[in-house]
Amino acid sequence: MHFVKIFPLLALVVINLAGTATVEAATGMNPPMKLVWHYYKVTNSCDDAETYIRHQVEKFYKSDNSIAPKLLRLLYSDCMVNGCDASVLLQGPNSERTAPQNRGLGGFVIIDKIKQVLESRCPGVVSCADILNLATRDAVHMAGAPSYPVFTGRRDGGRLNADAVDLPSPSILVDESLAYFKSKGLDVLDMTTLLGAHSMGKTHCSHIVNRLYNFKSTGKPDPSMNTTLVSQLRYLCPPRTQKGQTDPLVYLNPDSGSSNRFSNSYYSRVLSHNAVLGVDQELLNNDDSKEITQEFASGFEDFRKSFALAMSRMGSINVLTGTAGEIRRDCKVTNANYGA
């Protein structure tokens, strides 16, 4: 058994991995730990900030459950590029959110609405970075994920250009994916767990057509993909032969579909070669990620507990605290451009 030490409020998470291979498991938060549990209440700066955020997320979720995968992707796209500083929320020509890897990002309207509510109650206090982390936690909890602790006290960063976005292709090999996660201070358990976010949401056909028609220039589909799934996705995703043709969206996990439920069915699909994205199917090509995939497929609670740890670790990447950065008045613009 591998005991995975988690943050104080969740005590110990036990992940029982089948077989005898040793998995390099996460052992806690990314040092140094600068964030605070219930920061706004502890500092008496906006006691009910988390309640306000949860209320707004509940309102949005009732009318559109797709906000859970949208916010998950938005948070990932923020934290994994330059740290959790809400830079992806900034608008403008050649801004981070305009990068090709960020095409189709959603959830901005929700964050902007929550910010407006908080500015009316606690002006200039709650950062956009904290709002994004807390709102994502609340939305995925409504979808079936654990309501994990989110430490707060982040501050907002400045603008990044689109060419600074280094998010990897959804078709990369597992070793390349692991190298990327390790470059962000995360490990194989984090990677395998966070990819489980693909248990819900959608992706563009352009991200999978190579697997359907011309895998590695063979003129054939990816041999690791179940042939029935190939047929189903070919029906939804025609070959891309014309410039400017439409790029339909397909479910990352057809088992979840429009319900957008957080579940471990993603891992079962990987094991049965029914993963939609290449990077997901690649989990079977690494001994550690394969072993974790097998465990999560058979144990939903193990996945839930590991998800809580991985999300908290990702949420602590390169955070700005203290006097670094700023507290934006509007998540779309830096304070220097506020009202301009």
Side-chain angles (χ1 to χ4, degrees):
M1 285 190 180
H2 302 267
F3 289 83
V4 182
K5 184 180 179 184
I6 202 165
F7 31 85
L9 293 172
L10 289 187
L12 289 176
V13 173
V14 181
I15 296 186
N16 179 18
L17 296 170
T20 58
T22 300
V23 173
E24 180 188 342
T27 56
M29 305 294 293
N30 291 341
M33 183 59 199
K34 306 171 184 177
L35 303 175
V36 177
W37 176 235
H38 289 318
Y39 171 82
Y40 299 101
K41 192 178 291 288
V42 169
T43 58
N44 196 32
S45 54
C46 191
D47 289 1
D48 296 320
E50 295 190 27
T51 302
Y52 294 144
I53 292 170
R54 188 178 306 112
H55 177 65
Q56 291 300 318
V57 172
E58 286 174 349
K59 287 173 63 177
F60 274 99
Y61 188 85
K62 285 177 182 176
S63 61
D64 180 12
N65 62 30
S66 73
I67 70 166
K70 286 174 182 175
L71 288 175
L72 267 175
R73 185 185 170 201
L74 188 58
L75 180 63
Y76 169 84
S77 296
D78 184 46
C79 293
M80 297 294 278
V81 173
N82 194 49
C84 301
D85 64 354
S87 57
V88 74
L89 303 179
L90 293 169
Q91 287 184 338
N94 197 38
S95 61
E96 185 178 341
R97 64 196 276 183
T98 68
Q101 300 97 316
N102 285 332
R103 184 168 71 99
L105 275 185
F108 297 102
V109 172
I110 303 163
I111 303 302
D112 289 338
K113 173 60 177 177
I114 294 171
K115 181 61 173 173
Q116 290 170 10
V117 170
L118 288 169
E119 284 299 300
S120 70
R121 289 166 167 77
C122 311
V125 172
V126 184
S127 70
C128 299
D130 276 347
I131 292 172
L132 179 54
N133 274 267
L134 289 163
T136 300
R137 185 272 308 275
D138 292 341
V140 297
H141 176 52
M142 292 170 201
S147 183
Y148 53 88
V150 172
F151 292 85
T152 43
R154 297 169 187 80
R155 288 169 65 86
D156 300 322
R159 186 178 184 275
L160 282 183
N161 288 333
D163 58 10
V165 175
D166 63 347
L167 296 171
S169 159
S171 301
I172 61 173
L173 301 177
V174 67
D175 290 344
E176 296 171 319
S177 179
L178 183 54
Y180 177 77
F181 275 82
K182 284 186 173 181
S183 75
K184 308 300 179 178
L186 303 177
D187 60 25
V188 66
L189 180 58
D190 295 315
M191 177 191 76
T192 310
T193 302
L194 291 171
L195 285 175
H198 293 164
S199 66
M200 51 187 174
K202 294 181 177 182
T203 188
H204 283 280
C205 284
S206 56
H207 289 146
I208 60 173
V209 286
N210 62 317
R211 298 191 72 204
L212 300 178
Y213 299 100
N214 191 25
F215 184 68
K216 295 184 177 179
S217 301
T218 61
K220 299 178 181 179
D222 183 346
S224 72
M225 184 183 278
N226 184 293
T227 54
T228 301
L229 181 63
V230 171
S231 299
Q232 291 171 344
L233 291 176
R234 280 184 167 181
Y235 176 77
L236 299 170
C237 299
R240 299 190 63 75
T241 57
Q242 301 174 4
K243 186 176 181 179
Q245 76 181 80
T246 59
D247 189 6
L249 288 163
V250 295
Y251 288 113
L252 285 165
N253 179 3
D255 292 345
S256 171
S258 61
S259 72
N260 286 307
R261 293 301 296 170
F262 179 89
S263 75
N264 61 339
S265 63
Y266 160 88
Y267 296 101
S268 299
R269 293 187 67 89
V270 171
L271 292 176
S272 61
H273 294 273
N274 279 292
V276 172
L277 292 178
V279 67
D280 296 332
Q281 196 58 63
E282 277 284 317
L283 289 176
L284 298 188
N285 294 332
N286 172 281
D287 289 342
D288 287 348
S289 58
K290 179 179 180 180
E291 194 171 7
I292 297 166
T293 297
Q294 291 169 335
E295 172 59 23
F296 288 170
S298 61
F300 184 37
E301 281 307 305
D302 285 348
F303 171 45
R304 280 168 53 89
K305 292 169 183 176
S306 186
F307 185 80
L309 173 60
M311 288 296 289
S312 200
R313 279 166 55 81
M314 183 178 75
S316 71
I317 296 174
N318 293 342
V319 294
L320 301 175
T321 58
T323 58
E326 64 183 14
I327 305 296
R328 281 184 224 142
R329 302 302 295 265
D330 181 334
C331 292
K332 298 186 294 296
V333 297
T334 61
N335 287 345
N337 294 316
Y338 181 69

